[in-house]
Amino acid sequence: MTLPTLTERERAVLAAVIDSFVRTAAPAGSRRIGKEYALGVSPATIRNTMADLESKGLLSHPYTSAGRLPTDLAYRYYVDALMRWGGIRKRDQAKIERELGDADAGGVEDLMGKAARVLSLLTGELGLAVGPTLATATLERLELVPLSSEKVLLVFTIESGVVRTVYVDVATRVPRATLQAVSQALNERLAGSAISEIQTTLHERLGDLSFSNRGAEELMNIFVHSGPDVFEWARRER
């Protein structure tokens, strides 16, 4: 995202509008900004500067006579160019290292939980981590792994590194080459799409697939006809 170039006055007015809105949840007018923030300019100058910021996509207003509201681009600009970052105290750094030191071992969900706990420790406030809703998340990759002569493991890798597994019963042992062929076909048709979209279009996506290998054909039929059960985990975790 390319951020607009701002003058020092525009930067100061934008920072004041964002600060005012975050504190009050109300649109910021030029008179309030001039009264509450020592910008050294008149309300008329602030009003003109707000108009310039609006033309650059950084401010908006709900109706003509209302004050201005920050846009998403304004918050992005604030984080990238206006926010003042303080250093981390050594004792806080020690807390972070202690809590997150082994986070990689537990996967993304464990990392998010530990990150929320660290935020609570450092700020004294409630920490909340929200992961992606799996039904709307994107499937990145699907693998079929042989477990025994009667079971195959489906491994779903979803965006942000979330992994879900499903056991599938098969009549006979499926050769690894067959599993690889089916995995490749499934990834070509399903990877890159949202789980919810895959659920509703599974038959259309896979119904025309055919294999010269009978084992691959049977395994694909199991996948197509067991679609609702295969994606049960996505429905449970909405």
Side-chain angles (χ1 to χ4, degrees):
M1 178 185 296
T2 302
L3 298 177
T5 301
L6 302 185
T7 65
E8 286 302 316
R9 178 178 295 165
E10 288 173 336
R11 289 163 62 94
V13 171
L14 179 62
V17 172
I18 292 175
D19 181 78
S20 176
F21 183 71
V22 169
R23 289 189 300 104
T24 66
S30 58
R31 191 173 299 276
R32 175 193 293 174
I33 295 299
K35 182 178 180 180
E36 296 183 1
Y37 298 86
L39 300 182
V41 293
S42 67
T45 301
I46 294 173
R47 186 163 52 250
N48 291 335
T49 305
M50 285 180 167
D52 292 338
L53 290 169
E54 186 172 359
S55 69
K56 294 180 179 181
L58 293 163
L59 296 181
S60 65
H61 60 279
Y63 49 89
T64 304
S65 61
R68 262 60 172 195
L69 301 172
T71 63
D72 290 346
L73 181 60
Y75 290 119
R76 180 74 271 167
Y77 189 96
Y78 185 85
V79 170
D80 288 352
L82 299 179
M83 182 178 289
R84 294 183 176 87
W85 297 94
I88 301 177
R89 294 176 299 181
K90 288 186 176 181
R91 65 179 184 182
D92 291 337
Q93 184 175 346
K95 288 181 182 179
I96 294 173
E97 293 175 349
R98 184 167 60 250
E99 289 293 329
L100 301 184
D102 61 345
D104 290 343
V108 173
E109 291 159 312
D110 184 54
L111 176 60
M112 290 178 67
K114 290 181 177 179
R117 189 159 56 247
V118 168
L119 287 174
S120 295
L121 288 172
L122 297 182
T123 65
E125 303 289 346
L126 173 65
L128 179 63
V130 180
T133 301
L134 293 187
T136 58
T138 300
L139 176 67
E140 293 186 348
R141 188 173 70 257
L142 190 154
E143 298 175 73
L144 286 81
V145 180
L147 293 182
S148 68
S149 59
E150 299 177 345
K151 284 190 181 296
V152 169
L153 182 67
L154 296 177
V155 182
F156 299 87
T157 302
I158 306 152
E159 63 179 327
S160 302
V162 177
V163 175
R164 289 292 178 269
T165 57
V166 176
Y167 295 98
V168 175
D169 294 324
V170 292
T172 59
R173 180 179 291 277
V174 182
R176 188 174 293 275
T178 300
L179 292 177
Q180 291 175 344
V182 174
S183 295
Q184 180 178 346
L186 289 172
N187 280 295
E188 289 174 354
R189 297 295 180 94
L190 305 181
S193 298
I195 300 297
S196 57
E197 183 182 349
I198 294 173
Q199 288 177 283
T200 57
T201 61
L202 192 63
H203 283 270
E204 291 83 349
R205 289 167 179 263
L206 303 179
D208 63 336
L209 282 173
S210 61
F211 298 87
S212 57
N213 184 311
R214 182 173 179 177
E217 191 80 29
E218 292 177 352
L219 186 56
M220 182 61 70
N221 285 336
I222 291 174
F223 190 90
V224 172
H225 294 296
S226 302
D229 296 328
V230 168
F231 290 100
E232 177 64 26
W233 50 266
R235 289 192 294 273
R236 290 197 309 266
E237 300 183 37
R238 287 181 181 178

